[in-house]
Amino acid sequence: MTDIDRLADRLRSFAAERNWEQFHTPKNLAMALTGEAGELLAEFQWLTPEESSTVLHDQAAGDRVRAELGDVFLYAVRLADVLGIDLLQVAYDKLAENERRYDADAYRGTARKAPPLS
Amino acid sequence: MTDIDRLADRLRSFAAERNWEQFHTPKNLAMALTGEAGELLAEFQWLTPEESSTVLHDQAAGDRVRAELGDVFLYAVRLADVLGIDLLQVAYDKLAENERRYDADAYRGTARKAPPLS
Amino acid sequence: MTDIDRLADRLRSFAAERNWEQFHTPKNLAMALTGEAGELLAEFQWLTPEESSTVLHDQAAGDRVRAELGDVFLYAVRLADVLGIDLLQVAYDKLAENERRYDADAYRGTARKAPPLS
Amino acid sequence: MTDIDRLADRLRSFAAERNWEQFHTPKNLAMALTGEAGELLAEFQWLTPEESSTVLHDQAAGDRVRAELGDVFLYAVRLADVLGIDLLQVAYDKLAENERRYDADAYRGTARKAPPLS
């Protein structure tokens, strides 16, 4: 049993104990995931690229970033679990595709023309 | 070493081999994460809640959902790694907070009034 | 001068008076726009489709939806202004494209297969 | 009749002719709006702040930015229309609130601490 499986289990219990499975449709969970990503994004919107690298130096901002990244991950795990998707597997599949698609020599230093990771 | 650590390692190599660390500021990665969440969201936008539960029955839609959820997870892992955040830890921290905040008896079946998970 | 031009003017003054033009790069404004869209989205995430249609019946939720939709529009107007884009024109251009692309007879009632508007 | 009213009218006809009103619940339209905002965001994710200011100099990127900003605006107008919200009014209401909240002297040049516009 992986770390992600264990977390998925705990989220399943969390939802069941509150009778919240009815709200956890894939549609709703995708909304919640994106809403949390938007909150995370907002933490960085007025920062320069350099300031964004030291965002954790500010205690309050750091706490918010950690909480929002935690939320994003929780919803990703929950959504994958509800759909029966192996989160780790689809990530490795996508990464393998990117490794083929973005040849290291051809794309060196040119992320702008070709988005990295996806 | 956890599964997430291993994936973070692979992403670190992926970025290094392409000299893409320069693009992977927390600001840019939060943008990429949210952009991918938005693509995932778009897969569900015209579906009824019921249809969203069987989205994987359609091969093409299923492939897109898997790829986009993979992307979201990859960027979450990469962002956490760049910031030095333990993704599993912040998820468990947030979940523990939610378990305290949303008492199972008080909130049973009332997600609308109190957003679950976050 | 259109209504949107007038609003863009007021936002330009608002930014200038606070010396905030430095923060209003297209990159940052696209982030702010998406962050506000995410907040708007969160208002609807646990609602059924039917409940979403009567969201304004709840005074507090209605106030939030109005404020967030106002924010989305403000940032869209500001981003268009900073880039020198005519917001009304690009909307009509896109709509004309959609009218051609989604033939009314062929696509009647089939939004799922072909996303409406875009 | 304002420019926005005219555009809302055209969108109403567009949806009616395709029998797409059934898909245009506020919930679904908020999803579509956010999905389009995410696509717009993705255009800027690997750009430096400076590069983002000249994004229209590249014809292909410029066309995508214009189309995506058009989409965002179309969905904002459609969502407001379906909910019976006056988009221009809620924008001015929010702007007036921001003018009060962010005193020009107190907040000059400090957007980071206090997000501008919202």
Side-chain angles (χ1 to χ4, degrees), chain C residues 13 35 39 48-49 51-53 60 62 66 69 73 80 90-91 93 95 100 109 118:
Chain C
S13 302
E39 286 191 41
T48 64
E51 289 168 337
S52 81
S53 295
R66 271 184 289 266
L69 197 48
F73 186 43
V90 293
D93 288 347
L95 182 50
R100 280 190 305 272
S118 69

Side-chain angles (χ1 to χ4, degrees), chain B residues 58-103:
Chain B
D58 180 273
Q59 181 70 43
D63 285 349
R64 290 195 304 270
V65 166
R66 271 185 290 266
E68 283 143 15
L69 197 48
D71 277 329
V72 165
F73 185 43
L74 286 175
Y75 279 119
V77 169
R78 180 70 179 143
L79 175 55
D81 188 50
V82 164
L83 284 171
I85 287 175
D86 181 333
L87 197 53
L88 212 51
Q89 186 59 54
V90 292
Y92 274 110
D93 288 348
K94 195 61 201 290
L95 181 51
E97 185 189 319
N98 288 340
E99 287 169 340
R100 281 191 303 272
R101 190 171 161 199
Y102 303 107
D103 178 78

Side-chain angles (χ1 to χ4, degrees), chain A residues 2-3 10 17-18 20 23 27 36 44 47 52 71 75 94 99 102 107-109 111 116-118, chain B residues 2-3 10 17-18 20 23 27 36 44 47 52 71 73 75 94 99 102 107-109 111 116-118:
Chain A
T2 72
D3 292 316
R10 209 139 127 219
E17 287 160 8
R18 286 156 186 80
W20 281 357
F23 302 116
K27 184 181 178 96
E36 296 297 340
F44 296 103
L47 303 185
S52 82
D71 276 330
Y75 280 118
K94 195 62 200 290
E99 287 169 341
Y102 302 108
Y107 284 90
R108 188 160 293 119
L117 297 192
S118 71
Chain B
T2 71
D3 292 315
R10 242 219 21 234
E17 288 161 8
R18 285 156 187 79
W20 282 356
F23 303 115
K27 183 180 178 97
E36 295 297 339
F44 296 102
L47 304 184
S52 81
D71 277 329
F73 185 43
Y75 279 119
K94 195 61 201 290
E99 287 169 340
Y102 303 107
Y107 284 90
R108 187 160 293 120
L117 298 190
S118 69

Side-chain angles (χ1 to χ4, degrees), chain C residues 24-86:
Chain C
H24 286 190
T25 62
K27 184 181 178 98
N28 290 0
L29 290 167
M31 294 176 79
L33 170 57
T34 307
E36 296 297 340
E39 286 191 41
L40 180 65
L41 185 70
E43 291 299 322
F44 296 102
Q45 67 195 12
W46 309 122
L47 303 185
T48 64
E50 295 70 31
E51 289 168 337
S52 81
S53 295
T54 57
V55 70
L56 299 192
H57 294 193
D58 180 272
Q59 181 69 42
D63 286 349
R64 290 195 303 270
V65 165
R66 271 184 289 266
E68 283 143 16
L69 197 48
D71 276 329
V72 165
F73 186 43
L74 287 174
Y75 279 119
V77 169
R78 180 71 178 143
L79 175 55
D81 188 49
V82 163
L83 284 171
I85 287 176
D86 181 332

